[in-house]
């Protein structure tokens, strides 16, 4: 499910916390902590009954919103958010 298809397209649909974490290259615990802290720290998620799911498009947009071309730009953005 997480691997690009033979045509090179990314996965789509809703991912579990574990799969979303793997997709992002972080630990599932980090996503869990971001959900509990709230305040926009992590990507938005979807509740399906008791299950937590992440839409791949939302993850991609969240990652794109945190893409910088230098460390100083990232540091400046972090200071503005605090």
């Amino acid at each position: 499910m997480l691997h690009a298809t033979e045509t090179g397209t990314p996965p789509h649909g809703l991912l579990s916390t574990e799969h979303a974490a793997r997709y992002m290259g972080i630990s599932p615990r980090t996503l869990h902590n971001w959900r509990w802290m709230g305040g926009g720290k992590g990507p938005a998620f979807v509740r399906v009954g008791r299950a937590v799911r992440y839409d791949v498009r939302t993850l991609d947009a969240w990652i794109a919103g945190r893409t910088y071309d230098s460390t100083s730009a990232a540091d400046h953005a972090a200071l503005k958010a605090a």
Side-chain angles (χ1 to χ4, degrees):
M1 178 178 195
L2 294 180
H3 303 297
T5 65
E6 293 165 12
T7 61
T9 58
H12 61 282
L14 298 177
L15 303 178
S16 67
T17 298
E18 292 74 20
H19 287 117
R22 192 175 325 149
Y23 180 75
M24 297 174 68
I26 60 175
S27 77
R29 191 73 177 153
T30 297
L31 281 176
H32 174 80
N33 289 341
W34 286 345
R35 279 196 314 271
W36 280 99
M37 290 189 321
K41 177 81 175 168
F45 59 94
V46 177
R47 276 265 188 209
V48 181
R50 292 182 59 200
V52 171
R53 297 291 182 257
Y54 292 88
D55 188 310
V56 172
R57 295 168 298 186
T58 302
L59 295 177
D60 289 341
W62 187 83
I63 291 166
R66 283 152 184 78
T67 302
Y68 306 100
D69 54 6
S70 71
T71 304
S72 60
D75 291 343
H76 180 68
L79 288 174
K80 275 184 21 181

